[in-house]
Amino acid sequence: WSTALLGMGFGRFPSSYRARTVEAALPAVHRYENEDGNGYLRLGSGTPLYTEQIVAIHAHTSYTLSLKMRSGSVQAALNVLLCERTFFHGFGCSSVTLGPRVAGAAWESRVAAIESGRLGSGAWPFRRTVKLSLENAAPGTTIDVDDVSLVGPTGVNLVANGNFTAGGDRWFLSSAHSHLPWHVKSLWLQIVFDQGWAGLLVFIAAVGSAT
């Protein structure tokens, strides 16, 4: 009765879905962790999930990607993508896949080049948004990521909060293939789930008083 009246709480839908779904394929997860004062990103496996942020790149330019990673499995595979993307649709990508050399708790530094190609071309306001995306591409693995940077010819790092000391600031998640595990596709049902029938009645009263 308590959850029916007051709801499950804000932000509880994804974990509730994962715990109670009957679907065979579970969505991947990500968490912002802290270890002895050091922030980092932990990527789980499952149906595709991208942790991403918008970056201001130029077309036909070579960029240097650097990061630290670790995993308990040498089969782990971290996809790093530069893509012209909306929330659901991609219009072309450049990418590299990185894996740990050894399994364990030690961080490994990795460096790779990414060519932008035609990404970032076009005149404003018709230029598509380009995002740097991180994805765990290996089933049954967990990957930790830290100190992400993307540097072009000018020497400027285009990634904000790449060391995740500020948690998820400047980063967002998207899932073009299966986004419904992350939200309810109805404002009214979302309010009932988050805040219960009491929250819905308050919302209706607030809307009614404003009209």
Side-chain angles (χ1 to χ4, degrees):
W1 68 267
S2 60
T3 53
L5 179 63
L6 302 175
M8 292 291 289
F10 291 108
R12 297 296 301 173
F13 181 78
S15 60
S16 300
Y17 176 94
R18 187 176 178 87
R20 299 193 177 196
T21 183
V22 296
E23 297 289 336
L26 292 175
V29 296
H30 73 179
R31 293 181 61 180
Y32 300 102
E33 302 279 6
N34 189 286
E35 181 180 77
D36 299 327
N38 176 58
Y40 62 93
L41 170 68
R42 173 161 290 174
L43 298 173
S45 61
T47 57
L49 176 73
Y50 304 100
T51 304
E52 59 190 19
Q53 70 170 262
I54 295 173
V55 289
I57 69 166
H58 299 283
H60 308 294
T61 302
S62 180
Y63 290 88
T64 300
L65 168 76
S66 62
L67 55 82
K68 292 180 181 178
M69 66 180 301
R70 67 182 181 184
S71 177
S73 171
V74 292
Q75 304 302 319
L78 174 69
N79 278 350
V80 183
L81 309 98
L82 280 178
C83 299
E84 289 182 343
R85 292 185 59 202
T86 63
F87 190 85
F88 296 113
H89 303 291
F91 301 92
C93 296
S94 295
S95 65
V96 295
T97 300
L98 304 172
R101 297 182 179 91
V102 295
W107 290 99
E108 299 181 31
S109 296
R110 304 304 302 272
V111 178
I114 300 184
E115 302 292 333
S116 63
R118 67 169 184 80
L119 303 177
S121 61
W124 187 89
F126 305 104
R127 185 185 304 122
R128 290 192 176 109
T129 297
V130 179
K131 299 177 181 179
L132 175 73
S133 302
L134 308 174
E135 176 199 18
N136 181 347
T141 65
T142 300
I143 303 172
D144 294 340
V145 185
D146 200 1
D147 295 339
V148 181
S149 69
L150 186 70
V151 178
T154 62
V156 176
N157 179 16
L158 303 180
V159 178
N161 187 33
N163 57 10
F164 304 101
T165 55
D169 285 4
R170 301 296 294 272
W171 296 92
F172 196 64
L173 67 88
S174 71
S175 180
H177 300 279
S178 179
H179 63 93
L180 292 179
W182 301 97
H183 68 111
V184 180
K185 212 169 184 178
S186 165
L187 173 63
W188 303 97
L189 291 178
Q190 184 75 59
I191 292 173
V192 172
F193 182 89
D194 290 343
Q195 304 174 65
W197 292 103
L200 181 63
L201 291 175
V202 171
F203 179 75
I204 293 173
V207 171
S209 64
T211 58

